[in-house]
Amino acid sequence: LKNALAEKLSQGANLTVEDHARLDLLVSRTRQVASHKNIIAEGQVPDEVHLVLEGLACRFKVMKNGRRQILAFLVPGDFCDLHVAILGNMDHGIATLTPCTMVEISTTTVEELTSNHPKIARALWWATLVDEAVLREWLVNIGQRPANQRLAHLLCELLVRLQTVGGASDNSYSLPITQEEMGDALGLSIVHVNRTLQAMRRAGLITLKNTLLVIKDVERLKAFADFDPAYLHLAPNSAPSAIRRQVASISSAIGG
Amino acid sequence: LKNALAEKLSQGANLTVEDHARLDLLVSRTRQVASHKNIIAEGQVPDEVHLVLEGLACRFKVMKNGRRQILAFLVPGDFCDLHVAILGNMDHGIATLTPCTMVEISTTTVEELTSNHPKIARALWWATLVDEAVLREWLVNIGQRPANQRLAHLLCELLVRLQTVGGASDNSYSLPITQEEMGDALGLSIVHVNRTLQAMRRAGLITLKNTLLVIKDVERLKAFADFDPAYLHLAPNSAPSAIRRQVASISSAIGG
DNA sequence: CGCCGCCTTGACCACCATCAAGTGGAGTGG
DNA sequence: CCACTCCACTTGATGGTGGTCAAGGCGGCG
């Protein structure tokens, strides 16, 4: 079981071997959550921070008329509510889209981490600022792109984000969400998502069957979607595999 | 000349009298910027943090095909690029929409503030997290609401945000932006913004002439827009005027 | 087998984009 | 004082993107 959190955070700061070990300890106590369950409701004041370690979840907001907007997809390594300690309450909900392995971290642990491990602290802030950058790109996506490019852009983003945590191959990944959920994320109706997907299949851009998405030509899809990964603020070259080999022993030495 | 920064940050933390004085010193050195000038370009790596003290600015992103999405309106008290120290480079641009009074703060000053004044540090993080919350609400707005409610929601948001920094009366404020800029913010064409505004005028919701917006019935507009200010995370009761009277003398005592 | 989610397809039309032309005020220079 | 320009706003005509409604197919599961 690899540590998606460490994989991700190492994009945002040069973590030491000890930092990696700390993070491995952090995610050792996990909880399984079934598919399509609420993790945190809007208005709630959680006293623990939640983290997705495996599976797929989402932020969302429902309006009074019942319409729903998905605000973000949370992939392994993403925090659900790192901000709530300062903002006081949640202005949106969090729910699983698939069965998930979640980690719950007490706020005191977070405070200990941020005050005693400056590089982890920096990496946590990096993560929340990247969340914000992704949100900005979603706004551009929904505000300015037509449906087909909009959908293509989402598929490109998920490819890259999943790759950084080891959840995607060069050109494919598991996309276990319904077309309705895609529509709620993109501001499109379910019917139009369906037609757009089929057009992309007919154009030879993708195949998508039984939650397996295969991008037949990644560069072509990126060009079609006008996708530029700069907004993800990833490290130019990510090769954390060397350091990770040292971690297991140290992790147990600290006290796992 | 009041301090919009302190007005705003006092929503996010219980600042002491000394904190207020610090903030007043901070904004004492200002710079005038003409209308429609770029402050920071996409990709840039600024070594100073920028802050709007008077006027109106915006975040924006332009796509390769020339379309533009405005990502946020920056009102007095708003930071332009508080995040860039951690993210490394700007993934979007900042430009003025009107003549602006800007403050430039060196990163070392920011670091000094955040390490020696914990309440200011907390207020700064509060501010960036609120920015993120506003971004989420914009995504809901563009993704789920039709044009007329979308526009109404923006007008409600600006009313509340300007009120917290003393830039709006109970039901009116100066809205010195073109209809094209509204369209770029809302994902609408300029023609449709025009028609939507006129429909709202005909419906007796607003008047807008020569950059003066008057909301004829605030509660009715908020209801029409499905506007709930919870996402702005404002203090329940904001009466900072009492504390602010003590600040001027202390400010000079510190060394203004 | 029958139910239930999810995907699919067709018909219809509304919202909103685009194109085009025209109005009107502010500023400039003759 | 009057052209002239420029820019923002306005209005009309037209059509496409994408929403809504409705029905049917299909696989999984109790």
Side-chain angles (χ1 to χ4, degrees):
Chain A
L1 185 76
K2 64 188 168 352
N3 186 341
L5 175 63
E7 295 277 349
K8 182 188 169 189
L9 292 188
S10 61
Q11 298 284 322
N14 287 321
L15 301 180
T16 66
V17 173
E18 194 207 330
D19 291 331
H20 273 267
R22 283 281 165 205
L23 294 177
D24 281 355
L25 279 181
L26 198 64
V27 301
S28 58
R29 195 163 303 170
T30 63
R31 181 164 77 93
Q32 298 301 125
V33 179
S35 187
H36 296 98
K37 296 291 175 196
N38 285 332
I39 304 285
I40 317 159
E42 182 170 343
Q44 207 174 327
V45 187
D47 53 350
E48 285 186 321
V49 167
H50 298 74
L51 168 70
V52 179
L53 199 59
E54 286 178 330
L56 187 66
C58 70
R59 298 180 196 285
F60 67 94
K61 223 162 179 171
V62 296
M63 308 201 310
K64 284 207 284 278
N65 60 16
R67 297 179 66 98
R68 177 176 70 161
Q69 175 69 43
I70 290 180
L71 300 161
F73 287 118
L74 302 176
V75 303
D78 286 345
F79 282 96
C80 299
D81 49 4
L82 200 49
H83 41 64
V84 83
I86 286 182
L87 283 187
N89 65 353
M90 292 290 290
D91 54 34
H92 61 276
I94 309 277
T96 58
L97 295 173
T98 70
C100 283
T101 306
M102 307 287 301
V103 178
E104 287 167 0
I105 308 170
S106 69
T107 51
T108 59
T109 304
V110 174
E111 280 161 19
E112 187 275 332
L113 271 179
T114 54
S115 33
N116 298 338
H117 302 264
K119 291 192 172 174
I120 290 182
R122 187 187 177 86
L124 291 182
W125 284 121
W126 171 84
T128 82
L129 293 177
V130 169
D131 281 355
E132 194 176 333
V134 170
L135 212 48
R136 281 193 291 268
E137 191 64 31
W138 278 42
L139 198 65
V140 174
N141 203 28
I142 294 189
Q144 302 297 334
R145 278 190 266 261
N148 48 7
Q149 291 180 37
R150 215 185 283 186
L151 183 49
H153 195 278
L154 175 63
L155 299 181
C156 289
E157 178 185 306
L158 288 175
L159 175 70
V160 174
R161 285 174 58 195
L162 287 171
Q163 279 174 345
T164 71
V165 292
S169 78
D170 280 351
N171 71 331
S172 74
Y173 54 92
S174 165
L175 186 62
I177 64 176
T178 68
Q179 295 180 357
E180 184 173 15
E181 287 155 354
M182 292 187 215
D184 286 349
L186 295 169
L188 297 172
S189 70
I190 175 175
V191 174
H192 203 64
V193 168
N194 184 288
R195 294 196 164 112
T196 306
L197 276 174
Q198 293 185 47
M200 290 174 68
R201 281 192 269 244
R202 262 184 274 113
L205 285 170
I206 62 167
T207 62
L208 174 57
K209 205 196 280 196
N210 289 335
T211 78
L212 178 65
L213 174 76
V214 179
I215 301 173
K216 299 179 111 168
D217 183 340
V218 174
E219 289 313 311
R220 195 153 72 94
L221 188 68
K222 286 184 179 176
F224 174 70
D226 187 30
F227 178 79
D228 176 0
Y231 71 97
L232 293 171
H233 293 271
L234 299 176
N237 48 358
S238 57
S241 47
I243 223 177
R244 290 204 52 74
R245 253 172 255 124
Q246 312 174 41
V247 174
S249 56
I250 298 182
S251 180
S252 52
I254 289 182
Chain B
L1 183 76
K2 65 190 165 353
N3 186 343
L5 175 62
E7 296 275 350
K8 182 188 167 187
L9 292 188
S10 61
Q11 300 283 321
N14 286 321
L15 300 181
T16 65
V17 174
E18 194 207 330
D19 290 333
H20 274 269
R22 282 281 165 208
L23 294 177
D24 281 355
L25 279 180
L26 198 64
V27 301
S28 58
R29 195 163 302 170
T30 64
R31 183 165 76 93
Q32 298 302 124
V33 179
S35 186
H36 295 97
K37 296 291 176 195
N38 285 331
I39 304 284
I40 317 158
E42 182 170 342
Q44 206 172 328
V45 186
D47 53 349
E48 287 185 318
V49 168
H50 298 74
L51 168 69
V52 178
L53 200 59
E54 287 178 332
L56 187 66
C58 70
R59 296 180 198 286
F60 67 95
K61 223 162 179 173
V62 295
M63 307 199 311
K64 284 207 286 277
N65 61 16
R67 297 179 66 100
R68 177 176 68 161
Q69 176 69 43
I70 290 180
L71 301 161
F73 287 118
L74 303 175
V75 304
D78 286 346
F79 282 94
C80 300
D81 49 5
L82 200 47
H83 42 66
V84 83
I86 286 183
L87 283 186
N89 65 351
M90 291 291 290
D91 54 34
H92 61 276
I94 309 276
T96 57
L97 295 172
T98 69
C100 282
T101 306
M102 307 287 301
V103 179
E104 287 166 359
I105 308 172
S106 70
T107 51
T108 57
T109 303
V110 173
E111 280 160 19
E112 188 273 333
L113 271 179
T114 53
S115 34
N116 298 339
H117 302 264
K119 291 193 171 172
I120 291 182
R122 186 187 176 86
L124 291 182
W125 284 120
W126 171 84
T128 82
L129 293 176
V130 169
D131 281 355
E132 194 176 334
V134 171
L135 213 47
R136 281 192 291 267
E137 190 63 31
W138 278 43
L139 198 65
V140 174
N141 203 28
I142 293 189
Q144 302 297 334
R145 278 190 266 262
N148 48 9
Q149 292 180 37
R150 214 184 284 185
L151 183 49
H153 195 279
L154 175 64
L155 299 181
C156 288
E157 178 184 307
L158 287 175
L159 176 70
V160 174
R161 285 174 59 196
L162 288 171
Q163 280 174 343
T164 70
V165 292
S169 77
D170 280 351
N171 71 332
S172 74
Y173 55 92
S174 166
L175 186 63
I177 65 176
T178 67
Q179 296 181 356
E180 184 174 14
E181 286 155 353
M182 292 185 215
D184 286 348
L186 295 169
L188 297 171
S189 71
I190 175 176
V191 174
H192 203 66
V193 169
N194 184 289
R195 293 194 165 111
T196 305
L197 276 174
Q198 293 186 47
M200 290 174 67
R201 282 191 269 244
R202 262 184 273 113
L205 286 169
I206 60 166
T207 62
L208 174 56
K209 206 194 289 197
N210 289 334
T211 79
L212 177 66
L213 173 76
V214 179
I215 301 173
K216 301 180 108 166
D217 183 339
V218 174
E219 289 314 311
R220 195 154 72 94
L221 188 68
K222 286 184 179 176
F224 175 70
D226 188 29
F227 178 80
D228 176 358
Y231 71 96
L232 293 171
H233 293 272
L234 299 176
N237 47 358
S238 59
S241 46
I243 222 178
R244 290 205 50 72
R245 251 172 254 122
Q246 314 174 39
V247 174
S249 55
I250 298 181
S251 180
S252 53
I254 288 180

